[in-house]
């Protein structure tokens, strides 16, 4: 009898201990969830506060264009851009540069004072074909959004050149209420990765040039994104190029999914937000692609680099005379217009060497351009 009583007491003790353990686990779980919730809320608040977007604040003077330079280190064509900005009203533009860590624009690193101190204080180490490229772009947009006068945002590379003077560029961009974003359906290359779903629906997947020109509201959409970027970091990565030294290992490497983040990120986010009706679906920056089959098989298509010999008046005129862009995958032709007026498609071009830029400057590529045609409305 005594033995049975001891057995019952042991079971009761075990049951009581189990209840205590379960209660402790529940309490810990609730505590962790509450802690995560408040940490998340605090993080969002801190991010919003740190950005300091001055969306509704008035500003003095005319609206500005923010020129956003994505540079590897210095700006090799700074002398040409210096001439471009020299004739501009300083109230109508601002400049931001994302450069290499620790690089400073001053009298020892640039020929143009207009770039002094224009580098971002917050930067990332950029690697082509990785999400760090779009992270650098977002930092440029974020910093430029702090100034309420910045109403247009032009993303440029360190090899870009202007094809017209500042007055023409300003009129062209400001007269349009739309963003200029090269964006089309990616049907052939299979860069969409099914694991991106459901965050990124396949029917919203777009491709295009990273060199975009955005209105303020669209720049905010890009910077405010916290959902799409993590998916790009995880699933949109460049496939390693063929390396002869790796022999048969190349077969395994070439089976990896291939995706170039900067050719898809802005386009896809704007499509996901149903903003394509607010876009001119074309870029303002001309690129001549080397599409030779041999080159493509070795390392993919790359932009043709303009040197001194092929940056003469004839070649530049051919670029300026382009008035439409055809998108084969959509059977779509984009006729280039601003304010319902037919205009040249491109305001900038890349990739230009220093010698090519010197020729452009010497031959008056930045001479006065007629802006009155942009103001007319023949339609």
């Amino acid at each position: 009898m005594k033995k049975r009583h001891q057995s019952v007491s042991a079971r009761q003790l075990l049951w009581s201990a189990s209840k205590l353990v379960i209660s402790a686990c529940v309490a810990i779980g609730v505590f962790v969830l509450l802690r995560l919730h408040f940490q998340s809320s605090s993080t969002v608040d801190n991010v919003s506060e740190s950005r300091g977007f001055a969306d509704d604040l008035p500003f003095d003077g005319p609206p500005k264009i923010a020129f956003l330079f994505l540079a590897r280190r210095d700006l090799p064509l700074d002398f040409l851009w210096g001439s471009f900005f020299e004739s501009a009203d300083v109230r109508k533009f601002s400049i931001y540069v994302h450069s290499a860590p620790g690089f400073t624009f001053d009298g020892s690193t640039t020929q143009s004072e207009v770039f002094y101190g224009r580098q971002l204080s917050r930067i990332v180490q950029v690697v082509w074909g990785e999400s760090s490229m779009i992270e650098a772009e977002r930092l440029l947009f974020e910093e430029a959004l702090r100034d309420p006068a910045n109403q247009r945002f032009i993303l440029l590379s360190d090899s870009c050149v202007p094809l017209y003077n500042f007055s023409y560029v300003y009129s062209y961009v400001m007269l349009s209420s739309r963003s200029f974003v090269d964006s089309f359906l990616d049907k052939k290359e299979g860069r969409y990765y099914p694991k991106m779903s459901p965050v990124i629906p396949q029917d919203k997947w777009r491709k295009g040039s990273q060199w975009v020109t955005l209105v303020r509201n669209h720049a905010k959409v890009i910077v405010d994104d916290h959902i799409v970027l993590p998916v790009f970091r995880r699933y949109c990565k460049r496939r390693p190029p063929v390396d002869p030294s790796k022999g048969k290992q190349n077969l395994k490497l070439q089976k990896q999914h291939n995706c170039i983040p900067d050719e898809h990120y802005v386009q896809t986010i704007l499509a996901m937000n149903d903003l394509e009706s607010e876009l001119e679906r074309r870029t303002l920056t001309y690129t001549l692609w080397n599409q030779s089959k041999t080159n493509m098989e070795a390392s993919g298509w790359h932009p043709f680099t303009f040197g001194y010999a092929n940056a003469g008046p004839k070649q530049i005129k051919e670029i300026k005379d382009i008035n439409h862009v055809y998108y084969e995958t959509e059977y779509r032709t984009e006729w280039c217009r601003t304010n319902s007026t037919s205009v040249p498609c491109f305001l900038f071009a890349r990739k230009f060497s220093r010698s090519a830029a010197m020729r452009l400057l010497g031959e008056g590529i930045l001479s006065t351009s007629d802006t009155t045609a942009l103001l007319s409305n023949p339609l």
Side-chain angles (χ1 to χ4, degrees), residues 253-264:
L253 292 173
Q254 294 310 301
K255 290 181 181 179
Q256 296 181 20
H257 187 258
N258 189 43
C259 182
I260 310 298
D262 54 82
E263 294 183 356
H264 298 275

Side-chain angles (χ1 to χ4, degrees), residues 12 21 42 70 83 105 125 145 148 155 162 190 249 258 265 300 302 359:
Q12 288 177 340
V21 171
S42 175
L70 192 57
S83 177
F105 285 87
Q125 182 65 56
L145 280 166
L155 186 63
Q249 189 180 354
N258 189 43
Y265 181 68
H302 285 283
R359 182 174 183 181

Side-chain angles (χ1 to χ4, degrees), residues 118-176:
R118 300 292 186 173
Q119 70 280 348
L120 300 188
S121 57
R122 296 173 57 210
I123 54 93
V124 294
Q125 182 65 56
V126 176
V127 178
W128 183 81
E130 295 186 3
S131 60
S132 57
M133 180 74 80
I134 55 180
E135 290 167 10
E137 294 176 11
R138 282 162 52 92
L139 286 172
L140 284 165
F141 287 123
E142 180 179 333
E143 187 63 29
L145 280 166
R146 297 183 189 280
D147 184 348
N150 288 331
Q151 296 295 308
R152 301 292 186 273
F153 305 78
I154 301 178
L155 186 63
L156 298 159
S157 78
D158 55 12
S159 68
C160 281
V161 299
L163 298 175
Y164 299 90
N165 65 8
F166 179 87
S167 176
Y168 186 88
V169 170
Y170 185 87
S171 297
Y172 189 115
V173 173
M174 285 298 183
L175 283 171
S176 175

Side-chain angles (χ1 to χ4, degrees), residues 313-350:
K314 179 177 181 295
Q315 291 90 343
I316 300 304
K317 184 178 184 304
E318 289 175 353
I319 297 174
K320 287 183 168 185
D321 286 346
I322 297 172
N323 63 3
H324 69 279
V325 182
Y326 179 67
Y327 293 91
E328 184 179 354
T329 60
E330 298 177 334
Y331 306 104
R332 170 171 61 89
T333 298
E334 281 289 319
W335 292 95
C336 301
R337 298 182 182 279
T338 292
N339 196 31
S340 301
T341 300
S342 179
V343 292
C345 290
F346 302 108
L347 298 179
F348 314 98
R350 60 184 297 265

Side-chain angles (χ1 to χ4, degrees), residues 73-86:
R73 186 172 172 78
D74 62 347
L75 291 173
L77 310 184
D78 55 0
F79 59 92
L80 181 61
W81 284 101
S83 177
F84 174 81
F85 289 117
E86 189 177 58

Side-chain angles (χ1 to χ4, degrees), residues 25-142:
C25 290
V26 171
I28 292 171
V30 171
F31 173 77
V32 170
L33 288 173
L34 288 173
R35 183 180 178 86
L36 288 173
H37 170 74
F38 287 116
Q39 281 184 339
S40 176
S41 300
S42 175
T43 300
V44 171
D45 291 342
N46 288 337
V47 169
S48 299
E49 183 179 352
S50 67
R51 285 177 182 163
F53 297 162
D55 301 320
D56 300 319
L57 296 179
F59 55 88
D60 295 327
K64 295 194 291 188
I65 295 178
F67 290 83
L68 314 178
F69 290 89
L70 192 57
R72 283 164 286 192
R73 186 172 172 78
D74 62 347
L75 291 173
L77 310 184
D78 55 0
F79 59 92
L80 181 61
W81 284 101
S83 177
F84 174 81
F85 289 117
E86 189 177 58
S87 62
D89 183 341
V90 295
R91 301 174 304 159
K92 292 184 176 182
F93 72 90
S94 52
I95 297 172
Y96 304 84
V97 186
H98 185 285
S99 185
F103 189 85
T104 300
F105 285 87
D106 55 27
S108 65
T109 57
T110 178
Q111 299 181 47
S112 177
E113 293 184 8
V114 74
F115 290 109
Y116 285 8
R118 300 292 186 173
Q119 70 280 348
L120 300 188
S121 57
R122 296 173 57 210
I123 54 93
V124 294
Q125 182 65 56
V126 176
V127 178
W128 183 81
E130 295 186 3
S131 60
S132 57
M133 180 74 80
I134 55 180
E135 290 167 10
E137 294 176 11
R138 282 162 52 92
L139 286 172
L140 284 165
F141 287 123
E142 180 179 333

Side-chain angles (χ1 to χ4, degrees), residues 275-288:
L275 294 171
E276 289 184 300
S277 63
E278 300 178 13
L279 308 178
E280 293 283 350
R281 290 175 63 185
R282 59 184 176 89
T283 179
L284 297 180
T285 300
Y286 175 80
T287 304
L288 178 61

